[in-house]
């Protein structure tokens, strides 16, 4: 028996499983190039816009205080394109470059994940619990060209940046401004 996926009777669990099974059994060709942002997110946005897919939130975030951020597929697609432009433009990153994100799980964390996929940039996630030693090691081992953090974590991150020889840009997520840092919200 199959069941509905998010109330959409056209997209059944059994259909999803059979699709992946057909790929695993080499009955379907894998695409030479696959990009989740353009091949899935943008396609779902188009289906929603055309009325062929019911409008469901692509992203829905609620914090402990009850604040909500809700984006449709179209909004997430548009925001991720803007964020990808920030990464490739203002931050000077190219396909294959590495970025370290030391962020709590705020909406921008997910937005930057999709933006990196879209731009072909490798995202190295880090939690807000990383120590200065952890951050320094990750910067050196990954040869990351950009670091992204929140305005509250920036002072701790900043303490290890002088030793990073590969870093080109620093991007801050939040309301505050710091010397030498780009602000994501302003650039979006």
């Amino acid at each position: 028996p199959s069941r509905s996926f998010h109330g959409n009777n056209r997209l059944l669990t059994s259909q999803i499983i059979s699709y992946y099974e057909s790929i695993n059994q080499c009955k379907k060709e894998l695409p030479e190039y696959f990009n989740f942002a353009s091949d899935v997110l943008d396609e779902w946005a188009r289906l929603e816009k055309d009325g062929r897919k019911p409008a469901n939130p692509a992203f829905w975030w609620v914090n402990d205080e009850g604040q909500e951020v809700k984006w449709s597929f179209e909004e997430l697609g548009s925001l991720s394109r803007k964020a990808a432009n920030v990464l490739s433009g203002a931050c000077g990153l190219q396909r294959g470059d590495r970025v370290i994100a030391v962020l709590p799980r705020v909406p921008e964390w997910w937005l930057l994940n999709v933006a990196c996929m879209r731009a072909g940039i490798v995202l190295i996630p880090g939690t807000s619990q990383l120590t200065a030693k952890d951050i320094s090691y990750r910067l050196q081992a990954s040869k990351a060209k950009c670091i992204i953090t929140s305005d509250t974590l920036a002072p701790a991150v900043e303490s290890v940046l002088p030793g990073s020889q590969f870093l080109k840009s620093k991007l801050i997520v939040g309301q505050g401004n710091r010397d030498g840092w780009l602000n994501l919200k302003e650039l979006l």
Side-chain angles (χ1 to χ4, degrees):
S2 63
R3 55 190 190 135
S4 296
F5 183 73
H6 292 287
N8 185 350
N9 292 327
R10 292 176 288 176
L11 185 59
L12 300 174
T13 305
S14 62
Q15 290 171 323
I16 295 169
I17 292 170
S18 66
Y19 179 78
Y20 287 111
E21 284 176 352
S22 64
I23 290 174
N24 287 334
Q25 296 169 2
C26 300
K27 293 179 183 173
K28 276 196 185 279
E29 286 285 321
L30 284 175
E32 185 177 352
Y33 301 101
F34 175 78
N35 185 303
F36 175 81
S38 58
D39 294 335
V40 176
L41 181 65
D42 291 349
E43 177 63 16
W44 282 30
R46 189 180 63 73
L47 290 173
E48 261 187 13
K49 191 175 183 178
D50 293 347
R52 294 189 296 151
K53 181 183 175 313
N56 286 318
F59 178 80
W60 193 349
W61 176 88
V62 182
N63 70 6
D64 294 338
E65 289 82 40
Q67 294 173 317
E68 285 186 1
V69 173
K70 196 186 290 189
W71 295 322
S72 68
F73 285 95
E74 190 173 348
E75 290 169 322
L76 181 55
S78 174
L79 284 169
S80 68
R81 280 188 288 282
K82 289 178 181 180
N85 288 336
V86 167
L87 294 172
S88 59
C91 295
L93 301 174
Q94 299 175 2
R95 181 174 291 282
D97 285 345
R98 291 172 286 284
V99 172
I100 294 180
V102 181
L103 288 169
R105 295 309 176 256
V106 293
E108 292 84 0
W109 188 86
W110 282 276
L111 175 61
L112 288 162
N113 268 274
V114 176
C116 284
M117 287 179 219
R118 188 176 291 285
I121 295 168
V122 180
L123 179 80
I124 302 165
T127 72
S128 54
Q129 298 174 342
L130 292 176
T131 66
K133 184 179 177 183
D134 295 331
I135 295 167
S136 179
Y137 173 77
R138 283 167 171 78
L139 281 168
Q140 296 312 314
S142 68
K143 300 178 183 170
K145 293 186 178 178
C146 178
I147 190 157
I148 304 168
T149 194
S150 67
D151 46 359
T152 56
L153 296 172
V157 169
E158 219 165 38
S159 69
V160 300
L161 296 184
S164 178
Q165 58 200 20
F166 304 102
L167 203 62
K168 287 171 134 180
S169 57
K170 303 174 289 188
L171 190 61
I172 201 163
V173 172
Q175 301 299 330
N177 286 315
R178 293 185 76 78
D179 285 342
W181 289 75
L182 301 167
N183 184 294
L184 178 65
K185 194 172 218 166
E186 290 173 8
L187 293 168
L188 284 177

